[in-house]
């Protein structure tokens, strides 16, 4: 079975370089730089993932409200 694109994805950049990628399908933040991989092993990274998940839920809610305001069901 071929899956579609993730519901939400995000890329974080710093000084023009991608440092991570978040995919709602796997609910993970994937580090893209070596120093980010070190950061990913700490407790603060778990908080970072939780923030991404809350942003995902907020965006999902906002989209639902906008769709309702504009008379769309899907």
């Amino acid at each position: 079975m071929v899956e579609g694109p993730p519901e939400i994805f995000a890329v974080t950049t710093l000084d023009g370089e991608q440092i991570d990628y978040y995919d709602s399908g796997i609910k993970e933040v994937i580090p893209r730089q070596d120093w980010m991989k070190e950061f990913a092993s700490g407790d603060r990274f778990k908080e970072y993932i939780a923030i991404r998940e809350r942003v995902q839920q907020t965006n999902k809610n906002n989209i639902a409200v906008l769709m309702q305001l504009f008379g769309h069901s899907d």
Side-chain angles (χ1 to χ4, degrees):
M1 183 170 117
V2 177
E3 294 185 29
E7 184 175 49
I8 301 283
F9 69 90
V11 172
T12 304
T13 61
L14 179 65
D15 295 332
E17 296 288 325
Q18 182 179 348
I19 62 171
D20 71 27
Y21 169 83
Y22 173 77
D23 183 324
S24 64
I26 60 174
K27 294 189 185 272
E28 283 188 32
V29 176
I30 302 166
R32 298 290 195 204
Q33 301 292 328
D34 288 338
W35 62 269
M36 230 2 223
K37 292 175 186 172
E38 290 179 33
F39 176 69
S41 65
D43 287 336
R44 289 185 58 192
F45 198 69
K46 291 177 187 172
E47 182 180 330
Y48 188 62
I49 292 170
I51 290 168
R52 291 285 180 96
E53 289 173 350
R54 287 193 302 269
V55 168
Q56 175 186 346
Q57 188 59 49
T58 299
N59 286 339
K60 190 174 179 177
N61 293 342
N62 288 343
I63 289 169
V65 168
L66 287 171
M67 288 176 64
Q68 185 178 18
L69 286 172
F70 289 100
H72 293 275
S73 60
D74 292 332

